[in-house]
Amino acid sequence: MNSLYDIAAEYREIAEKLNDSDFDEQTIADTLEGMSGDLVQKCTNVGFFIRNMEAESEAMKAAEESIAKRRATRDSKIKRMKDYLLNAMISTGKTKIESPWFVLSVCNNQESVVVDADSQIPEGFMRMIPAKYEPDKVLIKKAIQSGLEVEGCHLARSQSLQIK
């Protein structure tokens, strides 16, 4: 069976030959219509294949979102349980509990800075984090459509395949 690429190339080639010939328009139209059967069938089959892949992709996306929610719930529960265990050990004065499967111990972490009020910190202890600039395409499009010229930009219309 010929590929869509082969069928389309053959169709274009014959269309060009027919346009360059002395045949009348009706003969050309009838010939191209007769040839379009394979092309239409192949395109339809590819369309079905695309639809199937889109459905699989949507199912994967839904599964990913579901798994991400479950994982976030699990991680949250882990944190709550660790906090619960830590508070219980601290309140009872137990700093180490040994079992055959693992050792639980209360550890002192390194000191870290806690910022209570940004506005009270002296300027010498502040750093400048540069802003990230990127084109605002919505604003640029509106400007060009209203007649302004935006250097380094232009509007272009692309094409896409729509399957309804």
Side-chain angles (χ1 to χ4, degrees):
M1 178 174 249
N2 291 339
S3 70
L4 178 59
Y5 178 80
D6 293 336
I7 293 170
E10 182 181 340
Y11 186 86
R12 281 191 310 271
E13 182 182 327
I14 290 174
E16 288 173 10
K17 285 180 182 177
L18 287 172
N19 284 332
D20 293 340
S21 70
D22 293 333
F23 293 116
D24 62 277
E25 289 182 28
Q26 187 60 45
T27 303
I28 293 171
D30 290 344
T31 304
L32 291 176
E33 186 177 327
M35 284 190 57
S36 69
D38 287 345
L39 180 64
V40 169
Q41 184 60 46
K42 192 66 157 185
C43 288
T44 301
N45 291 341
V46 172
F48 281 125
F49 183 71
I50 291 169
R51 278 269 172 94
N52 190 45
M53 288 193 311
E54 288 173 340
E56 286 178 1
S57 178
E58 285 299 315
M60 288 174 182
K61 181 179 177 183
E64 289 169 355
E65 290 171 359
S66 174
I67 290 170
K69 286 179 185 175
R70 287 178 51 214
R71 190 181 125 241
T73 301
R74 180 64 47 101
D75 289 347
S76 178
K77 187 173 185 175
I78 290 168
K79 183 180 180 338
R80 285 193 314 272
M81 294 304 296
K82 282 183 174 181
D83 290 345
Y84 171 74
L85 185 57
L86 176 64
N87 289 333
M89 289 177 69
I90 290 172
S91 67
T92 59
K94 289 277 192 189
T95 58
K96 190 173 190 177
I97 298 173
E98 293 187 32
S99 77
W101 303 278
F102 46 78
V103 175
L104 302 171
S105 57
V106 176
C107 300
N108 291 321
N109 298 328
Q110 291 184 351
E111 288 183 331
S112 61
V113 174
V114 177
V115 176
D116 298 316
D118 289 1
S119 60
Q120 296 176 352
I121 299 173
E123 190 175 318
F125 292 100
M126 299 295 281
R127 63 181 172 163
M128 175 69 80
I129 300 174
K132 178 183 174 189
Y133 289 99
E134 58 185 33
D136 184 341
K137 291 183 178 181
V138 173
L139 185 62
I140 293 169
K141 181 178 181 181
K142 286 180 184 176
I144 293 174
Q145 286 176 333
S146 69
L148 294 174
E149 185 177 321
V150 179
E151 191 173 325
C153 298
H154 70 280
L155 296 180
R157 186 175 309 275
S158 63
Q159 295 179 319
S160 63
L161 176 66
Q162 183 180 38
I163 301 175
K164 289 185 177 185

